[in-house]
Amino acid sequence: MTKSKADAMKEISALLPTVTPGNFAEVARKVSDCSSYARGGDLGDFGRGAMQKPFEDATFALDVGAMSGIVSTDSGLHIILRTA
């Protein structure tokens, strides 16, 4: 990560209203600090127990095609788009 969690929260809070399932990958490529940015934020398929609990709980609570609000984990802040 290249910024503080407080700075990241300000940035992601301002960005969230502009992110849609349709532009999610484009936004991820531009602003994500995660190594998945090159794949448009795509983490691939994963099951329960593979991710940090807050991320996993938020992911599996979403319907396919739905996007989360801001999710906080020990590795940072996330917006999740469930694709499968």
Side-chain angles (χ1 to χ4, degrees), residues 14-79:
L15 185 66
L16 184 60
T18 69
V19 182
T20 67
N23 71 5
F24 184 91
E26 177 185 345
V27 173
R29 283 186 196 97
K30 289 180 182 175
V31 301
S32 178
D33 283 346
C34 179
S35 62
S36 69
Y37 81 92
R39 296 180 307 280
D42 189 345
L43 297 173
D45 292 339
F46 60 87
R48 293 204 180 267
M51 300 291 178
Q52 293 178 44
K53 184 145 178 54
F55 190 94
E56 177 183 300
D57 289 347
T59 298
F60 290 108
L62 294 169
D63 291 330
V64 173
M67 198 173 68
S68 73
I70 299 168
V71 177
S72 181
T73 70
D74 288 343
S75 60
L77 302 171
H78 315 274
I79 301 170

